[in-house]
Amino acid sequence: VCRSVANSMLRRALGLTTVGVGGGAALAYQWAKEALGEDGLERLIKYDRVAIPAIVQYKWVEARCGKLSRLAPLLFPPVSEEEETARFAVLHERWAQPLFDIFMELGGFYYKSGQKIAANTSGVMPKLYIDLFQPFLDRIPPRPFAEIRAVVEEELGVPLGEVFSEFEEAPLGCASIGQTHRAVLRASGERVVVKVQNPKAEQTFRGDVFALKTVVDAFAPQASPAFDEIQKQFATEFDYRGECANAVEVRANLVRSGRFPNVLVPRMHAALCTRRLLVMEEIFPCVPLHHALDAQAALVARQRGVTKEEFLAAEKARVEAESREAASRGRLVRQLSHNTYERYIALQRVRAACWRGAARLYNWTIGVLTLGASRYDLAALSAEALIPINAASLVDELLSVTAHQVLIDGCFNADPHPGN
């Protein structure tokens, strides 16, 4: 009888617990739905389905290799730094792609978060994440051109064709808030770049931040000030007129200084710039710096008979080894100076010119005698000539112009990632 009574009480307790948990979950869901809106809640749930398991697994490995091994070494034997790195590498392989996919699917604030990962603004992101998330910098899936046209015409108040004689439908680049298109002004024939804000960017961003902030306020209020700052920052990013004014000021400051003839800030067409539209001169022709450096690495690798990935891995290992060696001696790593680069570049140009001269002489003599059966391809020789970018000069210029903007002008680009 006692056992029967006990079992009955246990079933009732479990039933009441289940009802309590279920009721609490229902109330929590209703609260979240009212606070965040149905769309905001659905987006948050989608994100949490991927993010929460990833966070739990990362935190477990972090605790397992750190606090737990110190607090209970018998249960959790200490692991070496190499073993800890290997365990985290497994998690990177497991979660990088799912997180990339959910960021891409959700867009909005998650585009901006992906951008921060790709740019490694924190300085601590794993290389696998940095490489995988590069599309967030300027290769986010574009909005349909019909939506872009609608925004342009709404902002200008006239049909697109009245202002632009040409307007490329394929975007130059797509980022978290907007995308850019090449165009030609009808009035002057000038080539311009038009930056158009995505139609629902502001609404989606604000909804995502509000949803995350509401959850943070409820469960981790110590992090609320960070989200307050994010909301303040977003208030400025969705009005392109501020960006236009900043660009005009930075350009005027640098021109007035007369110190940076190699630094170009595009001229803004302020009369055509609105809250969701920027029109600026196109710097043409030009090659993005990271594309040029990538091509240079590929050429060096090809000349050494290895793949670009093998070359970059070897260079990274060499630089890290030199850094460790210098640190152990309390010294700085020796770097090539601007002048050393210039001398090497001059030498490479002379070398390339000599090879081309010798190839022309061969083609005009032996090549003619063999009726063209044995001739050098001069274009291929020019393409294979390694004339490196003066990296030291670039770094000097970038540091100088940034320091001038910050310390002298007080107006500067505070978000200089590759996409910008």
Side-chain angles (χ1 to χ4, degrees):
V1 174
C2 291
R3 181 179 295 178
S4 176
V5 171
N7 288 338
S8 177
M9 292 179 65
L10 178 60
R11 284 195 299 270
R12 288 182 181 180
L14 290 174
L16 289 172
T17 301
T18 302
V19 170
V21 171
L27 289 173
Y29 178 84
Q30 188 61 33
W31 166 82
K33 187 175 179 180
E34 291 177 359
L36 310 179
E38 191 165 347
D39 181 62
L41 178 58
E42 182 181 347
R43 290 169 60 79
L44 184 62
I45 290 173
K46 280 186 176 180
Y47 173 71
D48 286 345
R49 283 175 181 165
V50 178
I52 290 178
I55 292 170
V56 168
Q57 291 187 24
Y58 272 100
K59 286 298 183 182
W60 166 250
V61 171
E62 180 184 18
R64 169 64 186 83
C65 297
K67 291 182 179 178
L68 292 178
S69 62
R70 291 193 295 272
L71 295 174
L74 295 179
L75 292 175
F76 304 101
V79 299
S80 65
E81 183 177 339
E82 291 76 14
E83 174 63 19
E84 181 179 355
T85 300
R87 293 188 181 191
F88 275 109
V90 172
L91 293 183
H92 301 337
E93 290 285 349
R94 180 182 302 162
W95 289 109
Q97 189 64 53
L99 286 168
F100 174 89
D101 292 341
I102 196 64
F103 278 35
M104 272 294 182
E105 178 186 345
L106 294 175
F109 175 75
Y110 302 98
Y111 279 167
K112 179 65 75 173
S113 300
Q115 192 179 81
K116 298 300 183 185
I117 292 172
N120 194 24
T121 51
S122 64
V124 298
M125 294 308 301
K127 184 177 184 302
L128 179 61
Y129 279 85
I130 296 170
D131 292 344
L132 182 62
F133 279 62
Q134 286 303 302
F136 284 101
L137 292 176
D138 59 3
R139 297 192 302 278
I140 288 170
R143 306 290 299 186
F145 183 69
E147 295 183 8
I148 298 302
R149 173 188 285 273
V151 172
V152 173
E153 294 182 344
E154 182 179 340
E155 292 297 302
L156 295 177
V158 297
L160 182 145
E162 289 191 17
V163 178
F164 304 102
S165 58
E166 298 177 25
F167 198 104
E168 294 186 6
E169 293 191 12
L172 279 171
C174 305
S176 55
I177 294 175
Q179 59 192 57
T180 56
H181 294 257
R182 277 198 178 99
V184 176
L185 292 178
R186 182 170 293 282
S188 63
E190 181 184 351
R191 302 170 65 108
V192 294
V193 171
V194 183
K195 180 178 178 181
V196 187
Q197 190 174 128
N198 294 338
K200 296 183 179 180
E202 183 172 5
Q203 176 187 343
T204 305
F205 261 75
R206 292 190 186 281
D208 289 340
V209 174
F210 176 76
L212 291 170
K213 185 178 185 302
T214 302
V215 175
V216 167
D217 286 345
F219 300 105
Q222 69 275 12
S224 292
F227 278 87
D228 290 334
E229 291 302 315
I230 290 173
Q231 285 183 310
K232 291 178 185 177
Q233 177 62 29
F234 282 165
T236 65
E237 289 200 26
F238 292 107
D239 190 342
Y240 284 172
R241 290 171 295 189
E243 187 174 336
C244 172
N246 290 339
V248 169
E249 182 176 350
V250 169
R251 176 185 171 90
N253 289 341
L254 296 184
V255 169
R256 185 170 56 251
S257 75
R259 296 180 54 199
F260 306 101
N262 296 323
V263 178
L264 301 178
V265 178
R267 180 171 55 87
M268 308 300 294
H269 291 268
L272 298 175
C273 295
T274 67
R275 190 172 184 277
R276 297 190 295 168
L277 194 69
L278 277 179
V279 181
M280 67 197 81
E281 71 169 317
E282 180 182 4
I283 307 300
F284 181 85
C286 69
V287 177
L289 176 59
H290 56 291
H291 290 179
L293 292 173
D294 189 67
Q296 179 174 292
L299 177 57
V300 174
R302 190 160 59 249
Q303 291 183 350
R304 296 187 181 183
V306 297
T307 66
K308 184 184 72 174
E309 291 71 24
E310 291 171 338
F311 166 70
L312 292 176
E315 283 297 293
K316 179 182 179 182
R318 179 184 64 79
V319 170
E320 289 177 349
E322 289 181 357
S323 299
R324 287 194 297 270
E325 174 66 19
S328 67
R329 296 172 176 245
R331 299 177 181 176
L332 295 175
V333 177
R334 181 176 173 273
Q335 302 287 347
L336 297 177
S337 69
H338 161 79
N339 291 332
T340 301
Y341 263 106
E342 282 300 309
R343 287 194 291 269
Y344 179 75
I345 290 171
L347 179 63
Q348 288 297 95
R349 284 176 175 156
V350 170
R351 182 172 177 269
C354 290
W355 271 111
R356 287 195 300 272
R360 283 196 183 93
L361 181 61
Y362 181 91
N363 288 348
W364 292 341
T365 54
I366 299 175
V368 172
L369 295 176
T370 58
L371 302 178
S374 174
R375 293 174 66 87
Y376 282 102
D377 186 338
L378 297 179
L381 279 177
S382 297
E384 289 296 311
L386 178 59
I387 310 296
I389 297 170
N390 191 331
S393 178
L394 276 176
V395 171
D396 289 346
E397 189 90 68
L398 288 170
L399 288 175
S400 295
V401 72
T402 301
H404 182 91
Q405 291 176 70
V406 174
L407 301 176
I408 297 177
D409 298 329
C411 181
F412 54 92
N413 183 352
D415 193 20
H417 63 74
N420 282 344

